[in-house]
Amino acid sequence: MKISIGCDHIVTDIKNHIVEYLEAKGHEVIDNGTYDHIRTHYPIYGKKTAERVINKEADLGIVICGTGVGITTSVNKIKGIRAALVRDITTAKYSKEELNANIIGIGGRITGIGLMEEIIDTFISTEYKETEENKELIKSIDDMIEDDSYINDEHLFDDLLEKWDRGYYHD
Ligand code: RB5
């Protein structure tokens, strides 16, 4: 399977571990960064990861930040993305089976590596169970977002990055 992955600066090592883990299992991984520990902004890497899925370069996506909340919330604003923030196996299974989630979000500072690997394995191997009810539910969720002009716009966060460079944000 082709997996798109992205993270912010506080979980880069965890993301790198997951990339290696997935590759060892024979998956093709598109690593959208971030690649170092320099402070950055999680929506940037969430968006890059999501675009690979939207553009069908990847089958599924994985996004990781400290809690998982920020990056998962961000990708859920992108048209066509259904992302689930997952901390257990049951939710990982549900998110694919019922919602046909195409991205999974994980809190790299919350969930241990072993559980994270199992969550990802479950998410990848679970099949969507299409029913009329699920189809309608998914359509009603997807229909709530209409504007997709920001997809593939590499400059969407330029103003934020400029503020970052000016030292506007502090940890
Ligand atoms: C760091 O920016 C941290 O706030 C972020 O990784 C995450 O925990 C947000 O949900």
Side-chain angles (χ1 to χ4, degrees):
M1 205 166 281
K2 280 193 186 171
I3 313 286
S4 174
I5 192 165
C7 68
D8 74 359
H9 58 289
I10 67 165
V11 289
T12 308
D13 298 333
I14 292 166
K15 182 264 295 169
N16 291 343
H17 170 87
I18 296 297
V19 170
E20 281 176 26
Y21 176 76
L22 289 168
E23 284 176 345
K25 291 204 148 205
H27 298 291
E28 194 179 314
V29 183
I30 305 172
D31 182 352
N32 302 283
T34 192
Y35 305 108
D36 52 33
H37 300 96
I38 298 167
R39 196 177 200 286
T40 186
H41 198 42
Y42 46 77
I44 297 169
Y45 297 94
K47 181 172 177 286
K48 285 176 194 281
T49 303
E51 281 168 350
R52 304 284 197 173
V53 176
I54 297 290
N55 295 338
K56 300 200 185 316
E57 294 162 72
D59 304 299
L60 294 172
I62 299 171
V63 290
I64 313 173
C65 69
T67 62
V69 173
I71 200 159
T72 309
T73 305
S74 305
V75 295
N76 266 321
K77 302 291 178 191
I78 296 177
K79 187 176 180 180
I81 294 300
R82 290 176 303 283
L85 174 59
V86 173
R87 309 213 194 284
D88 62 89
I89 306 296
T90 307
T91 312
K93 193 160 178 275
Y94 175 88
S95 69
K96 180 68 99 44
E97 226 167 51
E98 306 290 328
L99 187 66
N100 201 14
N102 46 16
I103 292 193
I104 200 169
I106 297 173
R109 293 256 178 118
I110 308 290
T111 305
I113 289 285
L115 179 56
M116 209 180 283
E117 291 172 353
E118 263 191 72
I119 285 172
I120 290 168
D121 287 345
T122 304
F123 181 63
I124 291 174
S125 63
T126 300
E127 301 229 345
Y128 168 51
K129 273 195 200 158
E130 189 178 280
T131 63
E132 277 311 306
E133 197 185 329
N134 284 345
K135 245 168 52 178
E136 266 177 42
L137 185 63
I138 289 169
K139 187 176 176 331
S140 66
I141 294 169
D142 286 351
D143 283 354
M144 285 195 276
I145 298 182
E146 280 314 318
D147 178 19
D148 65 357
S149 56
Y150 48 83
I151 293 175
N152 298 326
D153 175 1
E154 285 176 20
H155 300 288
L156 188 67
F157 297 116
D158 280 2
D159 54 337
L160 282 173
L161 290 172
E162 190 263 324
K163 278 186 179 171
W164 233 265
D165 291 345
R166 272 196 283 124
Y168 180 87
Y169 297 110
H170 303 281
D171 275 320

